[in-house]
Every structure is written in structure tokens, then in C-alpha cells.
Amino acid sequence: MKETMHKADLNWAELPFDYVRTDCHLEYVYRDGKWDEGRVVEDDTVTISVASTCLHYGQECFEGLKVYETKDGRALAFRSEENAKRMAYTAKKTLMVAPPVDLFVDAVDRIAKLNRRFIPPYGSGAALYVRPLLIGITGTIGIKPSKEYMLAVLATPVGPYFKSGLKPVRLWVEEEVDRAAPLGVGDAKLGGNYAAGLRATYGARDRGYAEVLFLDSKQHKYIDESGSSNFFAITKDGRYVTPKSSSILPSITNKSLIELAGDLNIPVEHRAVEVSELPNFAEAGLAGTATIITPVYAIQHGKKLIQYGGPNDVGPVSGRLRDALLAIQTGDAPDPHGWTHEIQLD
Ligand SMILES: Cc1ncc(COP(=O)(O)O)c(C=O)c1O
């Protein structure tokens, strides 16, 4: 058993999914063709040129992953290599320079270690959320890519994404706002995608729904995803169905659930899913780092209300998948796929 370190004085069980200032962030800079060693910054501000491409032309992308404390006090990062690869994909699409995978993975470990008193205790339901941010920092006025980039990495303790905790939520099918174009950047984790979706998300919230469900922007016929997560459903005969689309973010949680479903002998259909199929499903849910697996108990599609149970009902297949995923993430179950790695805290 590791020595228990002095934790920050926070009400861990009541933490919202929000920013809590921690002890420091990291800043790595790419200049003259190479990344530096990174520096620890205790202030939580970033100083860049007012003409930076990230501020004017959207050369900004990010990642998000969680670090959980195990029962015996170790800290596990979940699939940080996958986040590094997705950042590289996003960077390539927007002519940015991504940090090498090793640098990214190391930066995640480093920020978690530096802020280890903010890693929520095992069993609290909270986690340390690590947010690496890549921004173009060359000052320019013409529309062109930066020559210099900053990878800033912050860590903050978070609780459940939705106010209801992990309880089932209701979704609103959005028909007036598109999130991303089929040949656009919806599959990249660019800040601009979130700006594009905000008014739909808040429109849904104002109507009393926890989240929005976006449709494909070409035909409004297929389900894309929500503002924060991928969508999945369980058929009446127990198959895991999740949309395939060029305009949704390839979720690392969803990718893991697809593999876990295989382990649990749950057949998987990764395909285009028509919104008209919604009433045929037995269960529905959201999958993502922030939302973990949040069951969906009702979806409003125009005048139609589709229900999968009551606000306290977690479908049996969704529940099994969520338990299996969380058990691996928190070190309660063996990790046969090697998804987690221990952060050396000493
Ligand atoms: C739009 C969107 N879709 C899906 C996801 C889920 O992806 P992941 O499971 O990698 O966190 C996220 C969160 O990162 C997201 O913001």
C-alpha cells in the first residue's frame, strides 16, 4: 500500500464537472522545428501574442482524459496514447504541429504527479481530468498556419458531467442546428466544433433536456452524436449499436466499449444509424470521458417522445458495460487490453 498523501481540502463527492484551480499547469513550446522540455507554470494564465493564430483562425484543439485513484492509492491514466494520436490527427487536419506521442503521454503523467493532491480519492466517483491544449502562437494577420505552437496541459478534479450524476438523462434531437459538415472537421477535437454546437446544447437545456442529439448535416436522417459524447443504443436482442459517421469525434470511450462488448459476447454494429430507428431500441446511452456511460431514458424527436424506461432505470446491458469499464479504469478489475498505465507518483 502506498503512503496516503495529504489531499486537497475539497468535497470530493460533490464535485461538479468544472474547473478547479490546481497547483500548476505545463507549457511546452514548439519553435524552430523542435519541442522544448516543457516548463511548470504556477500561475493559471497563458501569455501569447494577441495576433496568435489560435485566437483568430481557430488553430486550437484539445484532448481530455481521466486519471483515477485505485483502492491501494495508485494513479491510473486511461489510454493517454490514444488521446495523443487523436491530437495528432486533429493537428494534421488543421495544419498544426502535434507533440510526439511520447511527449504527450509523459506530459499527462507529469501534470498528474505535480497535482497529485487533487487526484480524487478512490470510491468518490470523481477523477482527475487532464486537459492538453494545442494552440498556434505565431503572431500573424494573414490566414496561414502558425510556425510556433504551445501544448499547455492542465489538470483539474471533476465529478459527474451531468447535474443528475450518473442517473439517466433525456436528449433532444436537434433539427435546426448542425454541428459539423460531412467533409468538415467534426471528427477532430477542435474548439470550433464546440462553439458551433453551444447554442443547440443550451437550447436543449433551456427546454429541460440534459443534452442535444445532433443529426448528420446533409440529410438530417442519421444520428451523429451529442455535444459531449458518442451515442449508442442496445437492440431488443441485446446488440450494441453505435453510429458510424465522418462528422463525429471518434470517442476513445466508445472504442473501448466496442472492445468490451466483444469480451462480454455482446454483438456490435458500428454503422450508420437512422433517427427513425430510435423507437426500436431497448436501451440508449452516451459514451465519453466526461459522461462515462450515461444512460438515456427518453429522447424527444419533434413531437415524438421515445422512452427506454424511467429516470432511475439503467438498462442491463448499459449497466454491465459501464461497470466493466469503470472497474478497469479504477483498477478494480484486470486490464487485459493494457488500457491503463500507472503514473509514478513518487
Ligand atoms: C463531441 C464529443 N464526442 C465524443 C466524445 C467522447 O470522446 P472520448 O470518449 O474520447 O472522451 C467527446 C469527449 O471528448 C466529445 O467532446
Side-chain angles (χ1 to χ4, degrees):
M1 165 106 47
K2 300 258 173 196
E3 196 185 321
T4 315
M5 73 156 312
H6 187 64
K7 295 269 184 201
D9 186 19
L10 291 170
N11 187 357
W12 305 104
E14 298 294 321
L15 275 181
F17 192 89
D18 211 343
Y19 176 57
V20 171
R21 187 172 165 173
T22 51
D23 288 335
C24 59
H25 71 274
L26 296 171
E27 292 181 7
Y28 295 79
V29 172
Y30 176 87
R31 186 167 284 130
D32 300 327
K34 55 180 189 301
W35 285 95
D36 70 11
E37 301 281 289
R39 66 185 186 108
V40 178
V41 183
E42 284 176 13
D43 202 352
D44 77 340
T45 55
V46 167
T47 303
I48 54 172
S49 162
V50 69
S52 294
T53 64
C54 65
L55 299 176
H56 300 254
Y57 300 125
Q59 274 201 311
E60 182 278 336
C61 72
F62 62 96
E63 279 299 330
L65 65 138
K66 280 179 177 169
V67 171
Y68 280 97
E69 186 174 84
T70 64
K71 210 177 214 164
D72 58 359
R74 294 174 300 123
L76 298 180
F78 188 72
R79 307 197 80 173
S80 48
E81 245 185 74
E82 291 294 321
N83 292 90
K85 290 185 200 156
R86 191 168 64 188
M87 178 173 272
Y89 176 78
T90 302
K92 196 169 171 200
K93 267 200 127 164
T94 48
L95 304 190
M96 294 196 268
V97 177
V101 170
D102 288 357
L103 186 154
F104 182 105
V105 168
D106 186 60
V108 170
D109 288 13
R110 190 172 167 194
I111 197 65
K113 182 174 174 179
L114 285 163
N115 287 295
R116 60 191 179 280
R117 67 192 189 93
F118 291 95
I119 301 177
Y122 170 82
S124 62
L128 186 73
Y129 183 75
V130 178
R131 166 60 62 85
L133 186 74
L134 180 68
I135 53 177
I137 55 170
T138 304
T140 176
I141 282 300
I143 304 175
K144 49 182 177 253
S146 269
K147 292 193 188 76
E148 289 105 7
Y149 292 87
M150 181 191 287
L151 174 73
V153 187
L154 70 85
T156 192
V158 293
Y161 188 76
F162 294 114
K163 270 200 227 116
S164 57
L166 286 179
K167 275 174 60 179
V169 295
R170 296 192 307 160
L171 303 184
W172 168 265
V173 176
E174 180 58 52
E175 295 187 284
E176 315 252 296
V177 178
D178 292 330
R179 174 183 173 274
L183 301 178
V185 288
D187 62 342
K189 206 162 166 66
L190 284 174
N193 286 332
Y194 296 82
L198 264 187
R199 74 196 154 103
T201 302
Y202 276 78
R205 285 194 194 165
D206 289 348
R207 294 179 182 103
Y209 298 84
E211 252 292 14
V212 60
L213 191 56
F214 288 107
L215 301 180
D216 80 281
S217 54
K218 199 169 176 183
Q219 301 181 75
H220 283 191
K221 182 175 172 189
Y222 299 100
I223 296 171
D224 258 1
E225 63 173 339
S226 83
S228 58
S229 325
N230 278 182
F231 176 81
F232 71 87
I234 308 295
T235 61
K236 289 185 177 137
D237 59 357
R239 284 169 290 133
Y240 182 90
V241 180
T242 191
K244 190 176 232 170
S245 157
S246 62
S247 49
I248 67 181
L249 192 75
S251 155
I252 295 159
T253 311
N254 198 8
K255 185 175 170 175
S256 308
L257 291 174
I258 287 171
E259 287 184 62
L260 275 180
D263 297 348
L264 298 172
N265 292 321
I266 298 167
V268 172
E269 293 179 12
H270 190 192
R271 58 165 173 86
V273 179
E274 289 193 22
V275 65
S276 63
E277 293 180 59
L278 284 175
N280 306 341
F281 297 128
E283 299 173 32
L286 299 176
T289 298
T291 53
I292 314 176
I293 282 191
T294 300
V296 169
Y297 77 94
I299 303 179
Q300 189 74 45
H301 179 210
K303 292 206 168 81
K304 244 185 287 162
L305 178 70
I306 301 130
Q307 281 189 278
Y308 303 107
N312 292 312
D313 296 331
V314 179
V317 181
S318 308
R320 261 173 88 202
L321 286 168
R322 182 167 80 187
D323 292 349
L325 180 69
L326 274 171
I328 293 176
Q329 290 177 327
T330 55
D332 281 349
D335 175 16
H337 300 281
W339 288 336
T340 55
H341 84 258
E342 185 177 339
I343 299 170
Q344 295 309 319
L345 294 177
D346 310 316

